[in-house]
Amino acid sequence: MLKALLKTNMKTNKIVTLTVMLMLCFIGASADGVKSLRLSEAAIGDSAGTGAWIEIQNTSWGTQNLGGYYITNDPAVFNTELTAPQRIAKMHLIATGNPITKITPQNCILLYADGHDNLGLQHMNFTLHPGDIIAIYSGNGIDLVDSVTIPADITATQSFAYNSKDNVWTVCDKPTPTLANDYETAKKNNKIAEFKEKDPHGFAMAIMAMGVVFGCLALLYIFFTIFGKVANLFSEKKFKLIKISTKAKASKNNEETVAAIMAVTEATSGTGNENLDVALIALSLQAEMAHDEESGVITIKPTKSAWADKGDQIEAGMLEI
């Protein structure tokens, strides 16, 4: 009996502990959600004629739902003596149960202060004027989430924006609804947002990337084709020059050799030195044999000269010996 009672108490304690932990986690998450929502920009009107608008930003890395919060431009809500129901009566409730009120991480939502809340969840039941306050309260109507006072000298073409870099509010001549409040960043984001709007699925980006790749490959192909042809032209020209030079040199050498043999022959003719005559005849015959341009082919050109007769005479004399 005692053991059963102890087991029951242990189970009860575990359930109670788990419930308390879940409640603490829920409270912590709710507190983080409240802290991550803040006013980021507002305008009493703009050149596009869309009227006044309020920008609310989610500064966290988790999705936050604005549904169930209250927003107002009535300064009476700052009266600490008001009860929650009295304060709620002076504010506009942002309806729940619609995904449009969910703000993704590091993103924002635009609410229109045009006094026509019948047009949708993003339209408020009040309008904004220079010098008005804007306040956001949590769902209990007691906790103030964020507030700001619009400058009294702001114009319809300007906006009042929060600069997170310097942690200050400034009047901007170029309103940036749903975009970063920094001008340079806004300019870049505006291009990105425009590209995303025109190409939500990324098909144009993929085609552009493929076009760049194939364009580069085509340019490389053209470059190397032209380069190869130019290189071949230079190589052929150089080969022809070398071939012509070789032929000229060989021709010149042959002419010099023949002229030398003839000079020696004329100088030594009739000397009676048969051995010298035989050597000159052999050299002359060797010089008279020329190779043509074909590889592996020898062309012998027969000639008739006085030396041929002299050779026959010497050969006959040697035979007689």
Side-chain angles (χ1 to χ4, degrees):
M1 184 70 178
L2 182 60
K3 288 183 178 180
L5 185 60
L6 288 172
K7 280 185 178 181
T8 304
N9 288 335
M10 289 177 67
K11 288 181 179 179
T12 304
N13 290 336
K14 287 181 179 180
I15 293 172
V16 172
T17 303
L18 183 60
T19 304
V20 171
M21 289 178 66
L22 289 173
M23 289 178 65
L24 290 173
C25 289
F26 177 77
I27 293 170
S30 299
D32 290 339
V34 170
K35 291 178 181 178
S36 63
L37 293 173
R38 66 162 301 128
L39 293 165
S40 57
E41 192 172 4
I44 62 170
D46 57 29
S47 57
T50 57
W53 47 266
I54 301 168
E55 183 185 77
I56 300 174
Q57 185 182 16
N58 172 18
T59 60
S60 71
W61 294 103
T63 300
Q64 302 297 334
N65 197 333
L66 192 62
Y69 284 74
Y70 292 94
I71 187 168
T72 185
N73 70 332
D74 191 345
V77 295
F78 294 144
N79 186 352
T80 57
E81 295 181 0
L82 291 178
T83 62
Q86 290 174 334
R87 186 175 289 107
I88 288 173
K90 298 178 181 296
M91 298 188 292
H92 174 83
L93 173 65
I94 300 173
T96 59
N98 195 308
I100 199 172
T101 58
K102 291 182 178 180
I103 311 175
T104 54
Q106 303 297 312
N107 213 331
C108 60
I109 187 173
L110 210 63
L111 303 178
Y112 298 99
D114 54 7
H116 301 293
D117 56 339
N118 59 312
L119 296 179
L121 292 177
Q122 290 179 267
H123 294 265
M124 307 294 99
N125 64 355
F126 59 88
T127 58
L128 286 180
H129 306 88
D132 279 359
I133 65 100
I134 304 173
I136 303 176
Y137 277 83
S138 63
N140 59 17
I142 299 174
D143 299 324
L144 179 64
V145 177
D146 197 11
S147 65
V148 68
T149 301
I150 300 175
D153 59 348
I154 194 171
T155 66
T157 58
Q158 296 175 322
S159 70
F160 195 48
Y162 175 72
N163 188 339
S164 58
K165 183 178 180 181
D166 300 325
N167 194 27
V168 293
W169 283 83
T170 56
V171 175
C172 300
D173 293 328
K174 295 180 180 179
T176 57
T178 70
L179 298 176
N181 296 336
D182 178 70
Y183 285 155
E184 294 301 322
T185 306
K187 192 185 297 181
K188 295 177 183 177
N189 289 344
N190 190 27
K191 295 292 183 182
I192 295 172
E194 184 180 355
F195 193 84
K196 285 182 178 179
E197 184 180 353
K198 293 181 179 178
D199 183 34
H201 302 292
F203 294 128
M205 177 66 76
I207 293 172
M208 188 183 299
M210 292 174 65
V212 171
V213 172
F214 283 113
C216 292
L217 290 175
L219 288 175
L220 287 173
Y221 172 77
I222 294 170
F223 171 77
F224 283 112
T225 300
I226 295 173
F227 180 79
K229 288 183 177 180
V230 172
N232 288 336
L233 288 174
F234 276 107
S235 298
E236 291 177 1
K237 188 175 181 181
K238 186 176 180 181
F239 178 75
K240 287 180 180 179
L241 290 174
I242 293 173
K243 191 173 181 181
I244 293 170
S245 176
T246 304
K247 284 183 177 180
K249 187 175 181 181
S251 176
K252 184 177 180 181
N253 291 338
N254 289 337
E255 290 176 359
E256 291 177 352
T257 302
V258 172
I261 293 172
M262 291 176 65
V264 173
T265 302
E266 291 176 359
T268 57
S269 60
T271 60
N273 189 340
E274 295 182 357
N275 292 330
L276 180 58
D277 291 341
V278 171
L280 290 172
I281 292 170
L283 183 60
S284 178
L285 291 174
Q286 184 179 3
E288 290 177 358
M289 291 188 299
H291 295 270
D292 61 11
E293 297 297 328
E294 299 178 33
S295 176
V297 178
I298 299 175
T299 303
I300 300 175
K301 297 179 181 180
T303 59
K304 284 291 183 178
S305 66
W307 279 103
D309 296 338
K310 189 173 181 62
D312 292 339
Q313 294 174 7
I314 293 172
E315 184 178 0
M318 290 178 69
L319 290 175
E320 289 177 1
I321 295 172

